[in-house]
Amino acid sequence: MVTSEEKNMALLSHLLCFIIGIFAPLIIWLMKKDQSAFVEDHAKESLNFQISIMIYSFISAILIFVLVGIVLLILIGVAALVLIIIATIKAANGETYRYPLTIRLIK
C-alpha cells in the first residue's frame, strides 16, 4: 500500500522537473531511495527520462545546421511536456509509470 506522502514525493519527482530540471528527481532519489521503493522507482525513472531528454536535445541542437534539429527540438519539448504530465498523474494515483524511449542509465 502506497501512502499519501509517498505519492506526493513521487509526484514531485516528476512535476518539479518543470522548475529545476534534472536536479528534482536526483535530490528526491538520493533522499528517499532507502525509505520507499515506490518513490525510488519514480525518481529513478524521472531522472533517467531527464538525462535522455538532455541527450536527445543535444543531438537535435547539433542537427539544427541541417534544419531537421528545429523540428526535433519542438517535438522533444512537446513530448516531454505530455509525458511528464502523464507520469505525474500516474504517480498521484499510486501507479508505476515507464517513460517511452528512455535510456535507463540508473538502475
Side-chain angles (χ1 to χ4, degrees):
M1 190 65 155
V2 180
T3 66
S4 176
E5 180 185 347
E6 290 175 322
K7 288 180 187 178
N8 289 337
M9 290 303 290
L11 180 140
L12 286 174
S13 71
H14 299 287
L15 198 57
L16 287 177
C17 289
F18 290 124
I19 300 170
I20 58 175
I22 196 169
F23 298 110
L26 178 62
I27 292 168
I28 291 172
W29 178 62
L30 290 173
M31 285 177 21
K32 297 290 185 175
K33 67 181 178 180
D34 297 327
Q35 298 172 6
S36 170
F38 180 74
V39 176
E40 177 188 16
D41 183 52
H42 273 277
K44 279 195 307 190
E45 189 66 20
S46 181
L47 183 58
N48 283 325
F49 181 68
Q50 294 301 315
I51 292 169
S52 298
I53 290 296
M54 286 175 41
I55 292 169
Y56 300 150
S57 297
F58 178 74
I59 293 169
S60 297
I62 292 172
L63 291 175
I64 284 179
F65 298 111
V66 191
L67 299 177
V68 176
I70 297 169
V71 175
L72 288 176
L73 280 173
I74 293 169
L75 290 175
I76 290 169
V78 171
L81 175 71
V82 170
L83 292 174
I84 289 172
I85 291 171
I86 292 170
T88 303
I89 292 169
K90 293 283 188 178
N93 292 335
E95 303 170 24
T96 58
Y97 181 72
R98 295 284 175 249
Y99 286 100
L101 302 174
T102 298
I103 304 167
R104 288 179 177 80
L105 299 171
I106 300 171
K107 299 191 188 251

